[in-house]
Amino acid sequence: MKFCPRCGNFINHKYAICPKCNFDSRKIPRKNFRNISGSKSNYHLRPTIDIPKLELRIHDLTNIERQKLNLSPLSYNTEIRNIAWWHSKDMSVRNFFAHENPDGKTPADRASSANFDMDNRIWYKKLDSIQWQFGENIYQANLYDSVYVIDNIPTDYHWNDLEKIAKVTVDGWMNSKEHRDNIVSPLWKKEGIGVYISNDDKVFITQNFN
């Protein structure tokens, strides 16, 4: 194994092109290869996040915020978790960040497609109809806070641990009115958290309520 001189990713010694950033090391004169500033990257210290543990930690921090307001804690639902996880993965794979996916599907649509039995309904006067309620918060974090770059080559990554990612996520939601309203709503009784980590170190997080 060797390091990519541009992004610090591991590269199998049999190959010259980095699978992460597509950098071709053959373009670098061999005599200068070892002398490139920043080629000794700490990318190999990239943390391995226990995703189920991170999801449950976000759930716990969510209930702590509810308990501050004397609200009942939300139960954790694995069906909702799976719906949330697929949306997080979809945002990563199809490169979007929104409650409505590129197919026009809303959170309630995704729950319905998964045959989830939703509990909450609300009467919409303008639409003159009863619609199912399936709340959603989304957040995009990163495995690192910052990275030090030398000669346009990432070298020193400031990695985040599981606790930091969970706290930053819930704090971010609590500092946003619409997301906070979801977390502290007495309407919801259960929730699920879905986390997906992409190859470029982005952490997509979906929280669904019912």
Side-chain angles (χ1 to χ4, degrees):
M1 302 291 286
K2 63 182 179 181
F3 291 118
C4 171
R6 172 178 289 172
C7 71
N9 187 40
F10 282 121
I11 307 175
N12 190 301
H13 69 277
K14 295 181 181 180
Y15 304 101
I17 299 176
C18 174
K20 178 177 174 62
C21 70
N22 294 319
F23 180 75
D24 189 344
S25 61
R26 292 171 298 186
K27 296 179 179 179
I28 300 176
R30 190 61 188 175
K31 63 179 181 179
N32 294 328
F33 186 84
R34 293 183 179 179
N35 296 324
I36 295 175
S37 299
S39 61
K40 293 183 178 180
S41 168
N42 71 338
Y43 193 81
H44 62 288
L45 298 178
R46 182 182 191 265
T48 299
I49 301 295
D50 185 329
I51 289 178
K53 188 175 180 180
L54 173 57
E55 292 168 344
L56 288 175
R57 183 57 181 152
I58 294 171
H59 169 67
D60 290 341
L61 292 177
T62 295
N63 275 332
I64 288 173
E65 295 298 337
R66 290 177 63 87
Q67 289 166 2
K68 290 177 182 178
L69 298 176
N70 296 317
L71 295 168
S72 299
L74 299 169
S75 63
Y76 196 74
N77 184 282
T78 55
E79 283 187 88
I80 297 178
R81 181 267 171 191
N82 291 338
I83 296 168
W85 183 85
W86 278 107
H87 186 56
S88 291
K89 180 179 180 180
D90 191 31
M91 286 192 291
S92 173
V93 172
R94 294 204 277 178
N95 192 30
F96 74 97
F97 184 75
H99 297 291
E100 186 174 301
N101 68 22
D103 303 320
K105 300 296 184 181
T106 65
D109 292 330
R110 292 191 289 274
S112 180
S113 296
N115 295 318
F116 178 72
D117 187 13
M118 289 179 280
D119 294 334
N120 299 298
R121 291 182 295 179
I122 188 168
W123 176 262
Y124 281 93
K125 292 183 179 180
K126 291 183 179 180
L127 300 177
D128 195 29
S129 66
I130 293 177
Q131 294 189 9
W132 293 101
Q133 290 298 286
F134 193 74
E136 183 171 273
N137 285 343
I138 55 177
Y139 195 84
Q140 193 257 294
N142 295 285
L143 286 183
Y144 57 87
D145 268 336
S146 60
V147 58
Y148 187 65
V149 177
I150 300 177
D151 295 337
N152 296 319
I153 299 173
T155 56
D156 185 16
Y157 290 84
H158 296 177
W159 297 110
N160 291 320
D161 59 15
L162 182 150
E163 183 66 25
K164 176 68 176 297
I165 294 172
K167 188 176 187 306
V168 166
T169 299
V170 176
D171 286 350
W173 284 334
M174 291 301 292
N175 289 324
S176 167
K177 183 181 183 307
E178 292 183 358
H179 296 88
R180 183 184 185 278
D181 287 348
N182 260 334
I183 287 177
V184 302
S185 172
L187 175 68
W188 311 127
K189 305 302 179 185
K190 50 195 174 186
E191 73 161 352
I193 311 289
V195 173
Y196 185 84
I197 301 177
S198 63
N199 290 333
D200 60 354
D201 306 322
K202 294 177 182 177
V203 184
F204 291 87
I205 302 162
T206 303
Q207 177 181 48
N208 286 130
F209 306 88
N210 189 241

